[in-house]
């Protein structure tokens, strides 16, 4: 048996990072003979039998034995069982029998079937060495990062059926690349029984769901993303799991993976069970799982779901920190960055817990990014406010800059904001048809200019009126309509501008990258500020008008320059706007304004964002714009 006493010790201690090398099922070869090994953790079982398609689902003669008289059970079958289905038949101490799929299985039957499948992951030929080398040498902080959040089952369908991993690779990747996204974040693709859980309630943490194909097919998808310079992030759920009978819940008749105490165990909000994150074997299971996806599937990082549910004990009258879970998060992040220093570890955290994105050795939780849920909620509340009343909620748009640099943030407009009756981003905008599109363009231009990396849920680039319908594909027919087509062109141009403008991303996480010009103009609902790059002379002036009025000869205080040139205007007629643009370079008046040494007079379009770029000397402006924007 491949397991050693030292492996077993590390597993129980919570420090085994590669448990998948002996847990689960494995094909072994010795002297041209192939046999199959199985290992499962079931410390409170009276007996464990291996049942499957190879023995007519009868466990007689297929009894597992305890390893070192501990909680691990093993068996070696003198056959090559590749492709065979199997489960563990567990007799508990209370006399009940449980038929369980393998927690460490590499592959599983397509739902509604629930058996595990003996599989090998070593046959795929990876071609992404260039990407992996570049990834390891390129920190994310000073580079553009815009994530396309994707649900594989509803991006597109053929005759109502799912596309395969192979079909998705051929269709999604060119589309994502055309639109300028840097990464794809996949809603959970670990095996799960219920489509409408979107993968957030898993039974097979080591198995990419068979809905879309085989493990090699998913490897092909990741490989092709990397060959096209697109990173892959997995949405990952280490906090809780579903309670289906074949899964982790009461695995050996006891509360094994979950807390024993009901108040701690039961996640009433989602109808799931919380992992006992203070238990060593559970830590080894989950930390090994993160390492597994990175090693075997070349995954570039993880978005950790429901971190608030991990940080604090559930079902309490007040917020009480879960020290065991906090230690787990630190151990997890330390292990991931030890394996890949430039991995992405993104916390979906709605709490104000300090130092979420500070390194563990500095007392932090060790993530390198955190979703800015406060920014998202405040901005959407402001946008959904009747424009005539926005002056009364002005601080919703300014509050985020009080804490924008306390963590490394991702600004998310995710699936959670466009489902379950919340309306699409476009339809959240008040007003008539034209006003909705104008304000949506403004919203995304403001998002691009605000400090922080970015995330957008699939379909939002088409400006749908309908929210996400989680059983149907994206509204692709929208591209037949003029305003939606123009919006899509606008989005691609905005992404091109973002990725080509250093000042929009280089100092996302440093206060010197942002300066207010005028933060107090609540009556006119205009916000103006500067975004800076690492070079002091590299900056943009951003002016956002959240009112329906157009303002001519509007004064904006600026830094010294020869002229300022408009490099972006969301009101351009090409995008469906009213074309209140600034077509010629703006003259700089050498008179103090807004606390700046100079000012320009410009046209401020209705419901629009304008970006201005300075030119230092006469004649330089056109060539300088060509080089830098």
């Amino acid at each position: 048996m491949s397991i050693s006493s030292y492996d077993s010790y590390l597993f129980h201690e919570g420090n085994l990072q590669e448990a998948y090398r002996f847990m689960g099922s494995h094909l072994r070869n010795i002297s041209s003979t192939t046999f199959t090994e199985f290992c499962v953790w079931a410390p409170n079982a009276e007996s464990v039998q291996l049942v499957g398609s190879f023995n007519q689902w009868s466990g007689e003669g297929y009894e597992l034995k305890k390893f070192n008289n501990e909680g691990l059970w093993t068996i070696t079958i003198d056959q090559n069982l590749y492709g065979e289905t199997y489960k563990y038949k567990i007799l508990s101490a209370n006399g009940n029998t449980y038929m369980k799929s393998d927690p460490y299985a590499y592959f599983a039957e397509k739902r509604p079937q629930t058996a595990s499948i003996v599989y090998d992951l070593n046959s795929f030929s990876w071609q992404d060495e260039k990407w992996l080398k570049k990834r390891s040498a390129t920190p994310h902080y000073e580079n553009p990062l815009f994530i396309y959040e994707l649900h594989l089952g509803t991006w597109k369908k053929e005759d109502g059926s799912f596309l395969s991993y192979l079909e998705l690779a051929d269709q999604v990747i060119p589309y994502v690349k055309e639109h300028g996204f840097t990464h794809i974040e996949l809603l959970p693709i670990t095996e799960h029984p219920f489509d409408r859980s979107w993968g957030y309630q898993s039974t097979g943490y080591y198995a990419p769901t068979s809905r879309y194909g085989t493990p090699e097919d998913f490897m092909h998808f990741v490989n092709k993303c990397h060959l096209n310079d697109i990173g892959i992030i997995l949405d990952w759920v280490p906090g809780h799991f579903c309670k289906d009978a074949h899964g982790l819940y009461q695995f050996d008749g006891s509360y094994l993976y979950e807390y024993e105490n009901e108040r701690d165990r039961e996640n009433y909000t989602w109808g799931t069970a919380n992992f006992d994150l203070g238990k060593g074997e559970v830590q080894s299971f989950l930390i090994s799982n993160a390492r597994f996806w990175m090693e075997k599937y070349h995954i570039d990082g993880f978005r950790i779901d429901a971190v608030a549910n991990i940080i604090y004990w559930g079902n309490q009258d007040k917020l009480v920190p879960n020290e065991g879970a906090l230690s787990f998060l630190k151990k997890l992040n330390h292990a991931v960055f030890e394996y890949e220093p430039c991995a992405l570890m993104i916390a979906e955290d709605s709490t104000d817990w300090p130092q979420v994105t500070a390194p563990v050795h500095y007392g932090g939780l060790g993530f390198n990014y955190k979703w800015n849920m406060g920014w998202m909620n405040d901005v959407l509340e402001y946008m959904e406010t009747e424009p005539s009343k926005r002056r009364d909620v002005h601080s919703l748009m300014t509050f985020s800059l009080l804490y924008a640099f306390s963590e490394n943030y991702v600004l998310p407009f995710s699936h959670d904001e466009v489902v379950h009756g919340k309306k699409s981003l476009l339809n959240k905008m008040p007003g008539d048809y034209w006003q909705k599109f104008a304000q949506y363009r403004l919203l995304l231009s403001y998002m691009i200019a605000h400090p922080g990396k970015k995330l957008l849920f699939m379909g939002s680039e088409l400006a749908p009126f309908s929210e996400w319908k989680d059983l149907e594909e994206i509204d692709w027919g929208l591209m037949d309509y003029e305003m939606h087509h123009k919006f899509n062109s606008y989005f691609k141009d905005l992404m091109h501008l973002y990725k080509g403008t250093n000042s929009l991303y280089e100092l996302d996480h440093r206060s010197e990258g942002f300066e207010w010009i005028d933060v107090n103009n609540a009556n006119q609902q205009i916000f103006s500020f500067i975004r800076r790059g690492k070079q002091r002379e590299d900056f943009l002036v951003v002016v956002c008008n959240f009112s329906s009025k157009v303002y001519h000869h509007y004064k904006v205080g600026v830094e010294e320059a020869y002229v300022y040139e408009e490099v972006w205007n969301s009101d351009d007629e090409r995008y469906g706007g009213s074309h209140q643009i600034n077509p010629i370079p703006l003259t700089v008046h050498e008179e103090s304004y807004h606390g700046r040494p100079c000012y320009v007079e410009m046209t401020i379009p209705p419901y629009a964002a304008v970006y201005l770029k300075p030119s230092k000397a006469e004649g330089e402006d056109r060539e300088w714009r060509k080089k830098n924007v």
Side-chain angles (χ1 to χ4, degrees):
M1 193 66 193
S2 297
I3 183 174
S4 69
S5 296
Y6 186 59
D7 288 332
S8 176
Y9 168 77
L10 292 176
F11 174 75
H12 294 302
E13 191 182 48
N15 289 322
L16 187 64
Q17 299 180 10
E18 300 175 353
Y20 52 89
R21 298 197 185 281
F22 64 83
M23 297 295 290
S25 62
H26 294 273
L27 301 172
R28 310 294 188 191
N29 292 280
I30 296 180
S31 301
S32 300
T33 299
T34 300
F35 52 95
T36 312
E37 295 178 345
F38 296 83
C39 184
V40 64
W41 179 51
N44 300 304
E46 287 293 315
S47 67
V48 180
Q49 293 180 324
L50 180 68
V51 299
S53 54
F54 49 89
N55 62 7
Q56 291 72 55
W57 297 92
S58 171
E60 192 169 340
Y62 288 81
E63 291 81 13
L64 281 73
K65 296 181 179 180
K66 275 194 172 181
F67 177 80
N68 282 0
N69 204 32
E70 298 174 353
L72 297 174
W73 298 76
T74 67
I75 190 173
T76 300
I77 307 299
D78 292 329
Q79 300 177 56
N80 182 344
L81 297 182
Y82 179 85
E84 300 282 355
T85 55
Y86 71 99
K87 285 187 176 182
Y88 298 113
K89 184 177 180 180
I90 298 175
L91 177 64
S92 71
N94 59 18
N96 294 327
T97 299
Y98 299 85
M99 295 287 285
K100 293 292 188 177
S101 58
D102 191 342
Y104 288 84
Y106 290 165
F107 197 32
E109 289 184 299
K110 185 184 296 185
R111 54 91 179 97
Q113 303 304 313
T114 59
S116 302
I117 300 174
V118 178
Y119 214 79
D120 182 73
L121 299 179
N122 298 316
S123 62
F124 186 78
S125 297
W126 290 92
Q127 300 170 307
D128 61 348
E129 295 85 358
K130 184 178 178 181
W131 167 269
L132 297 180
K133 184 177 180 180
K134 176 184 174 183
R135 180 186 72 183
S136 296
T138 309
H140 303 281
Y141 303 115
E142 296 180 359
N143 288 290
L145 178 62
F146 204 127
I147 302 164
Y148 190 62
E149 189 187 33
L150 176 67
H151 179 245
L152 291 175
T154 54
W155 185 76
K156 187 179 287 185
K157 293 190 173 185
E158 294 290 346
D159 299 323
S161 299
F162 296 137
L163 296 182
S164 68
Y165 292 122
L166 300 179
E167 291 168 326
L168 287 161
D170 289 340
Q171 296 185 43
V172 168
I173 294 170
Y175 181 85
V176 168
K177 190 170 184 179
E178 176 191 359
H179 283 77
F181 293 97
T182 63
H183 289 71
I184 293 172
E185 179 185 310
L186 298 177
L187 268 64
I189 54 91
T190 50
E191 194 57 82
H192 53 282
F194 183 45
D195 288 1
R196 301 197 74 180
S197 77
W198 315 329
Y200 287 97
Q201 297 186 14
S202 181
T203 52
Y205 274 74
Y206 286 79
T209 178
S210 54
R211 285 167 174 79
Y212 316 120
T214 68
E216 286 87 357
D217 294 341
F218 182 59
M219 290 176 180
H220 172 83
F221 179 86
V222 176
N223 188 62
K224 192 166 183 178
C225 282
H226 288 170
L227 291 176
N228 285 274
D229 290 322
I230 297 169
I232 288 290
I233 302 165
L234 291 190
D235 212 334
W236 192 56
V237 191
H240 63 108
F241 57 89
C242 69
K243 296 160 67 174
D244 290 55
H246 67 285
L248 297 175
Y249 190 69
Q250 290 186 298
F251 188 79
D252 62 359
S254 69
Y255 296 115
L256 189 61
Y257 286 87
E258 62 272 35
Y259 293 106
E260 186 171 353
N261 182 285
E262 179 181 349
R263 188 174 69 168
D264 302 329
R265 177 180 69 248
E266 296 301 318
N267 195 313
Y268 297 116
T269 301
W270 297 309
T272 55
N274 292 318
F275 275 110
D276 183 348
L277 295 174
K279 188 178 290 185
E281 295 88 348
V282 173
Q283 292 181 355
S284 290
F285 172 77
L286 290 169
I287 293 173
S288 292
N289 188 243
R291 171 70 178 267
F292 167 81
W293 287 104
M294 297 176 73
E295 179 185 335
K296 297 296 186 181
Y297 289 93
H298 295 196
I299 295 301
D300 301 295
F302 302 90
R303 176 265 196 187
I304 313 302
D305 181 63
V307 169
N309 181 67
I310 297 175
I311 290 177
Y312 293 106
W313 288 103
N315 308 319
Q316 302 279 346
D317 296 331
K318 62 179 181 178
L319 294 177
V320 179
N322 184 335
E323 296 298 336
L326 289 166
S327 295
F328 160 75
L329 289 177
K330 294 175 183 180
K331 186 184 291 189
L332 166 70
N333 286 317
H334 178 80
V336 166
F337 290 122
E338 186 177 51
Y339 181 75
E340 174 47 69
C342 291
L344 286 163
M345 289 297 284
I346 306 170
E348 188 253 327
D349 175 29
S350 57
T351 76
D352 59 358
W353 189 270
Q355 293 188 288
V356 171
T357 58
V360 172
H361 57 272
Y362 289 146
L365 291 186
F367 293 95
N368 53 5
Y369 285 100
K370 170 180 173 172
W371 275 18
N372 195 334
M373 310 291 280
W375 174 88
M376 177 273 296
N377 285 312
D378 287 348
V379 168
L380 291 183
E381 182 179 347
Y382 181 89
M383 296 303 298
E384 291 182 88
T385 300
E386 179 66 30
S388 64
K389 299 179 180 179
R390 284 176 177 164
R391 61 174 59 89
D392 300 325
V393 292
H394 187 78
S395 62
L396 289 173
M397 296 294 279
T398 62
F399 182 64
S400 62
L401 272 304
L402 296 178
Y403 63 85
F405 310 106
S406 63
E407 304 277 6
N408 301 325
Y409 282 114
V410 172
L411 310 181
F413 288 139
S414 74
H415 67 281
D416 278 331
E417 281 64 70
V418 294
V419 73
H420 296 325
K422 296 180 183 177
K423 301 187 290 189
S424 70
L425 293 176
L426 174 69
N427 213 17
K428 292 178 191 290
M429 306 297 109
D432 59 26
Y433 184 82
W434 186 91
Q435 291 171 330
K436 284 180 179 292
F437 274 94
Q439 290 176 90
Y440 188 32
R441 292 193 302 269
L442 167 60
L443 173 63
L444 292 187
S445 288
Y446 176 73
M447 177 192 193
I448 288 291
H450 191 285
K453 307 309 181 185
K454 331 292 178 184
L455 176 142
L456 191 69
F457 184 56
M458 67 177 193
S460 299
E461 71 280 3
L462 305 179
F465 275 98
S466 299
E467 66 178 19
W468 178 38
K469 301 179 287 292
D470 66 348
L471 293 177
E472 302 176 27
E473 68 177 9
I474 291 173
D475 296 328
W476 294 107
L478 292 174
M479 291 298 284
D480 295 333
Y481 296 87
E482 181 182 13
M483 282 296 280
H484 294 276
H485 191 273
K486 286 184 175 181
F487 179 85
N488 187 245
S489 296
Y490 152 85
F491 183 81
K492 287 187 281 190
D493 286 353
L494 179 61
M495 290 289 281
H496 179 74
L497 176 70
Y498 165 65
K499 292 173 69 176
T501 306
N502 295 344
S503 56
L504 290 176
Y505 57 78
E506 279 188 339
L507 298 179
D508 269 330
H509 312 304
R510 294 165 58 183
S511 60
E512 55 264 40
F514 180 92
E515 297 175 39
W516 284 112
I517 296 174
D518 186 3
V519 68
N520 297 312
N521 193 352
N523 286 332
Q524 291 178 298
Q525 297 155 40
I526 294 176
F527 300 84
S528 53
F529 54 89
I530 294 173
R531 284 303 309 275
R532 293 192 182 277
K534 289 190 291 185
Q535 303 300 318
R536 183 71 182 177
E537 66 275 8
D538 183 11
F539 65 92
L540 278 182
V541 172
V542 178
V543 184
C544 297
N545 179 13
F546 290 88
S547 79
S548 61
K549 297 180 180 179
V550 58
Y551 296 96
H552 299 289
H553 307 293
Y554 187 91
K555 292 183 180 180
V556 179
V558 296
E559 303 293 309
E560 293 180 356
Y562 172 64
V563 294
Y564 279 80
E565 190 172 13
E566 181 178 273
V567 296
W568 182 252
N569 190 323
S570 66
D571 192 51
D572 195 298
E573 63 183 357
R574 292 177 298 162
Y575 309 134
S578 63
H579 209 58
Q580 299 291 328
I581 65 173
N582 297 276
I584 59 175
L586 300 172
T587 301
V588 175
H589 300 272
E590 295 184 0
E591 181 180 334
S592 177
Y593 199 80
H594 283 151
R596 306 278 163 181
C598 308
Y599 73 87
V600 294
E601 286 190 57
M602 60 183 297
T603 293
I604 306 293
Y607 295 136
V610 175
Y611 300 170
L612 303 177
K613 194 82 172 178
S615 179
K616 289 296 182 183
E618 184 174 5
E620 285 186 4
D621 45 300
R622 295 291 174 183
E623 186 62 30
W624 188 78
R625 178 186 177 185
K626 180 179 178 182
K627 180 180 178 182
N628 292 277
V629 178

